[in-house]
Structures are given as structure tokens and as C-alpha cells.
Amino acid sequence: MKLDKNFFSENIKTLIYALIIAVIIRSLLVQPFYIPSSSMEPTLLVGDRLFVTKYTYGYSKHSFPFSPPILNKRIMFSSPERGDVIVFKTPADNRTDYIKRLIGLPGDKIQFIDSNLYLNNSEILKSKINNKTTIFCGDKSVDVYRFEEKLSNGKKFHTVYLKDYTYQNSDVFTVPKDHYFFLGDNRDCSKDSRFLTSVGYVHKDNLVGKAQFIFFSSDKRIGSFIEFWKWHNSIRFNRTFNKIN
């Protein structure tokens, strides 16, 4: 059988075009992520897969694979809202992807007093859901109190606290200009902005995108593609194949 002399060159071109399209979609539109840690339980479970929109907050160098130095500042910027679940690059190395909930905007003051979260000197309202929730903290299964918290803008979501409330009091965190303060919903088992040397305040240029919907969940009640819009429009939303912490 005689092969067309253009067979290989045409297929190589097709692969290159497909790669370019994939990079454009991944950089400018949506990117899949994989959840490897328990820091956002009960909102996000270990093994969940979700889509993150890249265009929601505009673009920086971290919008692109390997963070090439092609943008020296964020462009087409749109401010995130308090309560958003966001993927960002950790300031410590500008390489590792984390996913947390946005609590503090620039200029905000955040503090924990007797295990209660205060924002600008006002306590964040939380209502206990039950006393029997079991979640993971690393590889360990632990019993926690589960709460529904409500932010000042009306956003509601579920959080959990260990029954001995290991994180009880803190200094006042004052969020600098152009920075944000993030917390994990698994409050006593999350490395987040409270830990200034490893995460700390996150600059707006480090934002990667907004978590929009789960397309596969470890929670069998959620399932996969069929349920993602229900999740997106419910409190469960507040629950790649890149790994994020």
C-alpha cells in the first residue's frame, strides 16, 4: 500500500492545532482541577473534580500553563466577591495551586476570638447544623461540629470545626491593598491565609480562577455530570485534573 506523502505532515499539523486550541481553552476559558486534600470539606471532598473559569477575574501570567512572564500585571480585572471559592497560586512559591474560600477583601480586618470568626469587628453569623458530622483531616477521620455561616453579603456555606476548637484565638489580620484573605471550610484542618509564612495574603495577580461546578464527585449523592447545575445553584456549591490543596 502506498502512503500519501502528506499523511504524516497533515496529522502532525492536526495535532499541533489541537494542542493550540487546548492551550487557549485552558488559559482563557476553563480548566479542570482535582481536589487532593480535605481542607475544603464538607464543600469539596478528596477526589472531587471541578471546572474553574479563568475569565471571571481577568488574566495574569498565572492564567497560563507554567506561568510564563508574558503579563506584568492583571488585565481585564474584575473584583472577586466575598464567599467565592477560588483557585490561586500560593505566594510562597507562585507555583502551587490552592483552593479556598475568599473571606477578606483589601482593607478588611479578620480575627478569631473564642473560635468565632470576626470580620471588621462584626462576628460572622453561624448556625449549628448537627453534632455528628465526620470528615477527614489529612488521613484521619474526625468528628466535628457542622455550621452554616453567613457573610455580610448574604452568601451562605457550610463549615466544620473540630469539637475541641483547636484554632481559638488569633491576632488581627489586616488585608493589604490588592490582596485577599482566604480560609478553608474545614477550619481546623486547613493551611490558608492564617499562616502568613506559607500562604498569607494573596495578591490579585495570583488568582487563577473561580470554582464553578463539580463534574465528578466522591460523594455518591452528588454523582457526576447530571448533578453539577444543582450543585452550582445550591449551598452544596459551597462543598484540576491539576491538583489543588
Side-chain angles (χ1 to χ4, degrees), residues 43-158:
T43 303
L44 296 171
L45 307 180
V46 175
D48 282 356
R49 273 91 168 163
L50 54 87
F51 279 123
V52 168
T53 51
K54 300 300 239 0
Y55 53 82
T56 306
Y57 309 123
Y59 303 97
S60 73
K61 66 178 182 180
H62 295 304
S63 302
F64 303 92
F66 310 111
S67 302
I70 57 178
L71 293 174
N72 58 13
K73 64 178 181 178
R74 196 164 203 95
I75 62 172
M76 301 172 65
F77 178 61
S78 179
S79 298
E81 295 183 6
R82 207 187 309 277
D84 286 356
V85 178
I86 296 174
V87 175
F88 59 88
K89 298 288 185 182
T90 54
D93 60 12
N94 289 306
R95 183 176 66 250
T96 306
D97 290 315
Y98 269 43
I99 184 167
K100 308 290 179 187
R101 188 178 300 280
L102 175 59
I103 300 297
L105 303 177
D108 282 346
K109 296 182 184 297
I110 296 99
Q111 186 177 20
F112 279 86
I113 302 175
D114 297 330
S115 297
N116 297 310
L117 176 61
Y118 284 76
L119 177 63
N120 296 324
N121 299 316
S122 296
E123 183 178 353
I124 297 299
L125 298 177
K126 66 176 187 283
S127 304
K128 184 177 288 187
I129 303 299
N130 60 54
N131 297 330
K132 298 181 179 180
T133 299
T134 299
I135 54 91
F136 281 95
C137 184
D139 296 329
K140 296 181 179 180
S141 178
V142 294
D143 293 328
V144 294
Y145 295 127
R146 181 169 179 157
F147 297 89
E148 180 185 86
E149 293 190 359
K150 182 179 179 181
L151 297 176
S152 56
N153 61 358
K155 285 196 175 183
K156 298 178 181 179
F157 49 89
H158 287 185

Side-chain angles (χ1 to χ4, degrees), residues 5-244:
K5 62 180 180 180
N6 294 322
F7 176 81
F8 291 106
S9 63
E10 291 299 322
N11 278 275
I12 289 174
K13 288 181 181 178
T14 300
L15 290 175
I16 291 174
Y17 293 151
L19 179 61
I20 292 173
I21 292 171
V23 170
I24 291 174
I25 292 174
R26 177 189 174 97
S27 301
L28 302 180
L29 299 177
V30 296
Q31 182 176 347
F33 284 89
Y34 164 77
I35 305 298
S37 76
S38 58
S39 67
M40 281 295 290
E41 288 201 19
T43 303
L44 296 171
L45 307 180
V46 175
D48 282 356
R49 273 91 168 163
L50 54 87
F51 279 123
V52 168
T53 51
K54 300 300 239 0
Y55 53 82
T56 306
Y57 309 123
Y59 303 97
S60 73
K61 66 178 182 180
H62 295 304
S63 302
F64 303 92
F66 310 111
S67 302
I70 57 178
L71 293 174
N72 58 13
K73 64 178 181 178
R74 196 164 203 95
I75 62 172
M76 301 172 65
F77 178 61
S78 179
S79 298
E81 295 183 6
R82 207 187 309 277
D84 286 356
V85 178
I86 296 174
V87 175
F88 59 88
K89 298 288 185 182
T90 54
D93 60 12
N94 289 306
R95 183 176 66 250
T96 306
D97 290 315
Y98 269 43
I99 184 167
K100 308 290 179 187
R101 188 178 300 280
L102 175 59
I103 300 297
L105 303 177
D108 282 346
K109 296 182 184 297
I110 296 99
Q111 186 177 20
F112 279 86
I113 302 175
D114 297 330
S115 297
N116 297 310
L117 176 61
Y118 284 76
L119 177 63
N120 296 324
N121 299 316
S122 296
E123 183 178 353
I124 297 299
L125 298 177
K126 66 176 187 283
S127 304
K128 184 177 288 187
I129 303 299
N130 60 54
N131 297 330
K132 298 181 179 180
T133 299
T134 299
I135 54 91
F136 281 95
C137 184
D139 296 329
K140 296 181 179 180
S141 178
V142 294
D143 293 328
V144 294
Y145 295 127
R146 181 169 179 157
F147 297 89
E148 180 185 86
E149 293 190 359
K150 182 179 179 181
L151 297 176
S152 56
N153 61 358
K155 285 196 175 183
K156 298 178 181 179
F157 49 89
H158 287 185
T159 60
V160 292
Y161 292 77
L162 293 176
K163 290 190 174 183
D164 57 358
Y165 295 103
T166 57
Y167 194 89
Q168 296 191 11
N169 295 285
S170 73
D171 294 332
V172 177
F173 299 98
T174 302
V175 186
K177 179 182 178 182
D178 292 332
H179 287 72
Y180 298 94
F181 188 94
F182 290 89
L183 291 175
D185 290 346
N186 192 350
R187 289 289 163 77
D188 292 301
C189 191
S190 173
K191 183 182 289 185
D192 46 41
S193 291
R194 293 171 289 183
F195 301 90
L196 296 179
T197 57
S198 54
V199 181
Y201 308 111
V202 179
H203 193 275
K204 68 178 184 180
D205 289 349
N206 284 55
L207 304 183
V208 173
K210 180 180 180 180
Q212 293 288 6
F213 56 82
I214 294 172
F215 62 88
F216 177 83
S217 178
S218 299
D219 187 339
K220 301 303 182 184
R221 295 170 299 175
I222 302 301
S224 54
F225 292 94
I226 303 301
E227 298 293 328
F228 64 75
W229 283 118
K230 290 183 181 179
W231 173 83
H232 177 66
N233 292 294
S234 70
I235 292 177
R236 182 60 178 167
F237 168 73
N238 304 305
R239 263 239 293 113
T240 40
F241 288 177
N242 290 357
K243 289 173 66 176
I244 44 182

